[in-house]
Amino acid sequence: GAAPREFREFGTLRLQRERQHILHLQLNRPNKRNAINLLCWRELVECFQDISRDSSCRAVVISGAGSAFTAGIDLSDLAGAFSVDPDDDVARRSWNLRQRILEFQESFSVMEKCPKPVIAAVHGPCIGAGEWGRRGGDWGRGGG
């Protein structure tokens, strides 16, 4: 098989090889109960792109650091993410809002597209955006 590879560092996630073919992805903001901020949304996409390319990985387990799986969206961080320019017309504001929503949705879609089984080890509170962890728990399409 392929040699295990080193993983890049993330600010809100911790990715490590748990066993020979098993990766453990941890939401890593325990002081914020793993609330999902703007950086986390982006890092989830990057991380799952890396995981998808890792030929030594056969499954991924996601958990949350500390006592919560996730407190959901970090509202203090995302408050300005959906602000609109009041000078724009309705169509432009709608288009920009749609683009922003699609950008955030990709953070979850990338998990669904992952060719490896993705298993959520939900523990403690799992609120809001974290509910993706409760929908069946395995987004992957098999593979590996």
Side-chain angles (χ1 to χ4, degrees), residues 68-143:
F69 183 73
T70 181
I73 295 172
D74 186 338
L75 295 175
S76 65
D77 191 52
L78 266 75
F82 291 97
S83 62
V84 296
D85 184 345
D87 294 332
D88 279 345
D89 58 80
V90 172
R92 192 169 316 280
R93 287 195 310 255
S94 297
W95 174 258
N96 290 335
L97 178 60
R98 180 179 186 279
Q99 292 306 112
R100 195 67 168 157
I101 290 169
L102 290 174
E103 185 181 316
F104 283 107
Q105 180 59 44
E106 182 60 20
S107 299
F108 300 119
S109 298
V110 74
M111 292 179 220
E112 185 178 351
K113 294 174 196 172
C114 184
K116 327 293 171 120
V118 179
I119 303 152
V122 178
H123 60 91
C126 178
I127 302 167
E131 288 296 312
W132 46 259
R134 293 189 190 254
R135 284 192 237 138
D138 181 346
W139 302 282
R141 299 285 187 235

Side-chain angles (χ1 to χ4, degrees), residues 50-84:
D50 289 353
I51 290 169
S52 292
R53 290 187 290 263
D54 186 342
S55 62
S56 69
C57 173
R58 294 187 185 165
V60 182
V61 177
I62 301 177
S63 69
S67 62
F69 183 73
T70 181
I73 295 172
D74 186 338
L75 295 175
S76 65
D77 191 52
L78 266 75
F82 291 97
S83 62
V84 296

